[in-house]
């Protein structure tokens, strides 16, 4: 199994930045593709960004493209989401997920999840 712990959320004003972290333990981190998802109250969990096992390939939701950057360091068993130019509509609980080998934009295809970290953006 892989255990995931998110951190770095908080309350910020529109236009500001946050950096989320996802620390992994358990199985070999480098064997798992990773993703960031978010869930706002009353809404389904939605894809934000994903990254391949090596970190070479990344994909973003259109709503965050150009503002968010996903990265990972397999030696540190950690993944990050740098969020710039935050907007009120980015407010949600952010989750990191892990799945063996290939990444995916579908939450149902992830086997492991963290507990989530709250991001609130005020206008």
């Amino acid at each position: 199994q892989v255990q995931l712990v998110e951190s770095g959320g908080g309350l910020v004003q529109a236009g500001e930045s946050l950096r989320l972290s996802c620390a992994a333990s358990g199985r070999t981190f480098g064997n798992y593709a990773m993703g960031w998802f978010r869930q706002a109250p009353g809404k389904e969990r939605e894809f934000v960004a994903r990254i391949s096992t090596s970190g070479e390939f990344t994909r973003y939701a259109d709503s965050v493209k150009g503002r968010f950057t996903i990265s990972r360091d397999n030696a540190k068993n950690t993944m990050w989401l740098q969020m710039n130019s935050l907007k009120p509509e980015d407010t949600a609980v952010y989750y990191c997920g892990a799945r063996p080998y290939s990444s995916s934009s579908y939450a149902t295809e992830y086997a492991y999840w963290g507990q989530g970290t709250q991001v609130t953006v005020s206008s």
Side-chain angles (χ1 to χ4, degrees):
Q1 286 193 342
V2 176
Q3 291 79 42
L4 304 173
V5 179
E6 303 96 334
S7 62
L11 171 62
V12 297
Q13 293 188 335
E16 294 184 339
S17 299
L18 278 174
R19 190 190 196 202
L20 304 184
S21 298
C22 175
S25 61
R27 296 287 181 89
T28 304
F29 182 62
N31 289 343
Y32 289 84
M34 303 292 294
W36 284 101
F37 291 76
R38 65 188 181 187
Q39 189 165 17
K43 295 188 177 181
E44 293 186 353
R45 191 167 297 190
E46 68 171 359
F47 166 71
V48 175
R50 59 186 172 98
I51 190 166
S52 60
T53 54
S54 66
E56 183 177 1
F57 299 105
T58 60
R59 292 291 185 273
Y60 298 91
D62 288 343
S63 59
V64 306
K65 201 171 296 182
R67 300 188 297 123
F68 290 11
T69 302
I70 188 172
S71 60
R72 67 186 295 166
D73 185 335
N74 289 344
K76 295 182 179 179
N77 290 354
T78 304
M79 174 181 68
W80 297 274
L81 184 68
Q82 177 66 43
M83 306 187 295
N84 298 330
S85 302
L86 282 162
K87 304 176 181 180
E89 50 264 44
D90 294 319
T91 296
V93 178
Y94 283 71
Y95 298 90
C96 63
R99 68 186 304 268
Y101 306 116
S102 62
S103 66
S104 170
S105 300
Y106 299 97
T108 55
E109 296 184 356
Y110 283 77
Y112 305 102
W113 293 97
Q115 82 289 348
T117 185
Q118 176 71 46
V119 172
T120 303
V121 185
S122 63
S123 58

